[in-house]
Amino acid sequence: KNQVEQSPQSLIILEGKNCTLQCNYTVSPFSNLRWYKQDTGRGPVSLTIMTFSENTKSNGRYTATLDADTKQSSLHITASQLSDSASYICVVADRGSTLGRLYFGRGTQLTVWP
Amino acid sequence: EADIYQTPRYLVIGTGKKITLECSQTMGHDKMYWYQQDPGMELHLIHYSYGVNSTEKGDLSSESTVSRIRTEHFPLTLESARPSHTSQYLCASSIRGSGGADTQYFGPGTRLTVL
């Protein structure tokens, strides 16, 4: 069973609108949570990384929140642009090994229409 | 834009062929990784390396092998490709960032199709 669940699976919004993507995880012990953006046919690109003590982090129009108590995170995109169309992947790292094992969600496929 | 490169970007081959997927990075990162990703599915770690002459198998069983003779180079080899190997292969490297979390940088991927 995947320990990182994302919702919705896909989302269509109009250009200029805001949206929020959700990530729930069961990974323990928790180390950090990352959000990646993956354009079609490309590798993922890191948007934010949050550790246990951080509950919000912004990167331009992207704002990620983390509630380590409820094991939930969200990614809010403000004033969406056509270039925001991509898959957004939530990744959680544990503290159980030197590698810091990463657990990947399946992503939310966002499509921004003009 | 990360300095990590993968070749070829697309590959279509017949069953039984031996192939090597190339991955190189110019950032001097010690840690490198290979992931497999099917459409709409999560990335699965198949191999990783902490440095030169260090390689380990990941979470997903894979018939591929890797080598790490130089820091910048982490090739993945399939001795005998099968249709079940059809997938997207992503290479990544990482460096320890502030706060102790490794920041991973991904290459553009190789889309492999085995007929």
Side-chain angles (χ1 to χ4, degrees), chain B residues 22-55:
Chain B
E22 301 289 347
C23 175
S24 59
Q25 49 95 6
T26 58
M27 298 174 283
H29 292 172
D30 287 329
K31 295 181 182 177
M32 296 189 74
Y33 315 79
W34 275 104
Y35 291 91
Q36 188 172 339
Q37 183 184 30
D38 293 319
M41 301 297 288
E42 63 267 40
L43 277 71
H44 290 285
L45 181 67
I46 50 176
H47 296 282
Y48 62 95
S49 168
Y50 285 136
V52 171
N53 294 325
S54 155
T55 62

Side-chain angles (χ1 to χ4, degrees), chain B residues 80-96:
Chain B
S80 180
R82 296 206 302 271
S84 60
H85 295 139
T86 295
S87 189
Q88 165 107 331
Y89 292 84
L90 290 163
C91 180
S93 68
S94 72
I95 188 170
R96 182 59 59 102

Side-chain angles (χ1 to χ4, degrees), chain B residues 55-74:
Chain B
T55 62
E56 301 287 345
K57 287 188 179 294
D59 306 319
L60 184 67
S61 174
S62 174
E63 293 159 347
S64 58
T65 59
V66 292
S67 63
R68 190 88 183 276
I69 299 173
R70 303 197 316 266
T71 298
E72 62 271 21
H73 197 212
F74 191 40

Side-chain angles (χ1 to χ4, degrees), chain A residues 2 9 31-32 34 36 38 41-46 49 51 89 98-102 104-106, chain B residues 1 9 31 33 35 37 40-43 45 48 50 59 88 90 99 101-104 106-108:
Chain A
N2 199 332
Q9 184 176 347
S31 175
N32 59 77
R34 309 120 183 263
Y36 285 89
Q38 184 176 23
R42 304 298 299 266
V45 175
S46 179
I49 298 177
T51 58
I89 303 172
T98 304
L99 178 64
R101 180 180 172 177
L102 300 181
F104 288 80
R106 294 183 177 180
Chain B
E1 196 77 20
R9 291 293 313 279
K31 295 181 182 177
Y33 315 79
Y35 291 91
Q37 183 184 30
M41 301 297 288
E42 63 267 40
L43 277 71
L45 181 67
Y48 62 95
Y50 285 136
D59 306 319
Q88 165 107 331
L90 290 163
D102 281 12
T103 299
Q104 280 196 325
F106 285 85

